[in-house]
Amino acid sequence: MSGENAQRRTNFITIQDDTPGYRLDEFCIPKHYEDDLSRVLIPAGLINDRIERLARDIVEDFDEDGLVALCVLKGGYKFFTDLLDKIKGLNRNLGRSVPLAVDFIRLKSYVDDQSSGNIEVIGGDNLKNLQGKNVLVVEDIIDTGKTMQKLLEILQGVKPKCIKVASMLVKRTPRSSGYKPDYTGFEIPDIFIVGYALDYNEYFRDLNHVCEINEAGKQKYASK
Ligand code: HPA
Ligand code: MG
């Protein structure tokens, strides 16, 4: 398949609303964050295993036409590098391979734990390079879906051959616009999470598990 004909994948891991998650003392957490988190929601090992399957689904859906993986910075960088490593592994070891190019875009919409409502593209290459290409947008989280819908509008403007979206996380929230990505790692409850490159005012990107921030953490790292 050349990407454009692929159907949206509906396989993902659902983290239920009543999940207890894991206690912090069951995992290794940086000392400087020990008091700022309430629990581990998704351990890094499980994230790694899920990405292995996402990579397989993506390689099945694209062909020798290749794809441009577009990393949405900053939150997407961990998922981007881990996903591409897995795709590269499949490319080395399967009888067929999907040529990969990479590109980056930087967006900003969150202050504290609230979306500011408008997204800004604040960096990245000239998007014109994406014209006629199979683009795979690689994002950390779909929350309301509005950021992704605005980004897709911007990208459509440069006329790629197709655009698919892979998001590590999708939040189950009544604020959702209804947008759903083509590839989803985990569907999670409507709570503010950090780690695995997801931040709270730029903190917690250096935490490898996806964790729930607590009130003390929100206060300690508040923007004002
Ligand atoms: N955590 C970090 N960044 C985010 C979140 C979240 O829960 N939702 C949207 N951006
Ligand atoms: Mg963010």
Side-chain angles (χ1 to χ4, degrees), residues 75 110 140 198-199 205:
Y110 267 69
D140 54 354
L198 284 106
D199 72 306
R205 294 199 202 273

Side-chain angles (χ1 to χ4, degrees), residues 11-24:
N11 53 329
F12 51 77
I13 294 178
T14 303
I15 311 282
Q16 301 291 353
D17 286 342
D18 61 356
T19 186
Y22 304 89
R23 291 202 325 259
L24 298 179

Side-chain angles (χ1 to χ4, degrees), residues 106-150:
R106 180 144 178 229
L107 305 177
K108 193 162 174 54
S109 73
Y110 267 69
V111 177
D112 292 335
D113 57 354
Q114 300 297 316
S115 171
S116 66
N118 48 16
I119 65 156
E120 266 180 280
V121 177
I122 54 172
D125 259 5
N126 191 339
L127 294 176
K128 288 224 171 72
N129 298 338
L130 302 175
Q131 189 174 4
K133 302 284 173 59
N134 295 315
V135 177
L136 178 69
V137 180
V138 181
E139 172 68 296
D140 54 354
I141 186 165
I142 306 287
D143 193 313
T144 64
K146 288 175 190 146
T147 299
M148 185 51 64
Q149 284 174 316
K150 281 193 188 152

Side-chain angles (χ1 to χ4, degrees), residues 125-215:
D125 259 5
N126 191 339
L127 294 176
K128 288 224 171 72
N129 298 338
L130 302 175
Q131 189 174 4
K133 302 284 173 59
N134 295 315
V135 177
L136 178 69
V137 180
V138 181
E139 172 68 296
D140 54 354
I141 186 165
I142 306 287
D143 193 313
T144 64
K146 288 175 190 146
T147 299
M148 185 51 64
Q149 284 174 316
K150 281 193 188 152
L151 175 59
L152 290 174
E153 263 174 45
I154 293 169
L155 293 177
Q156 295 289 4
V158 300
K159 306 223 177 329
K161 184 168 173 205
C162 80
I163 309 180
K164 300 285 173 182
V165 176
S167 185
M168 186 68 237
L169 306 170
V170 173
K171 221 178 254 192
R172 262 191 318 280
T173 167
R175 300 179 310 284
S176 170
S177 66
Y179 173 78
K180 290 192 167 64
D182 301 284
Y183 305 92
T184 300
F186 300 84
E187 192 192 74
I188 62 167
D190 191 7
I191 55 177
F192 199 82
I193 46 86
V194 292
Y196 195 72
L198 284 106
D199 72 306
Y200 178 83
N201 294 328
E202 301 298 333
Y203 292 92
F204 300 101
R205 294 199 202 273
D206 58 333
L207 169 69
N208 58 345
H209 311 293
V210 169
C211 298
E212 183 179 13
I213 188 172
N214 64 19
E215 274 311 310

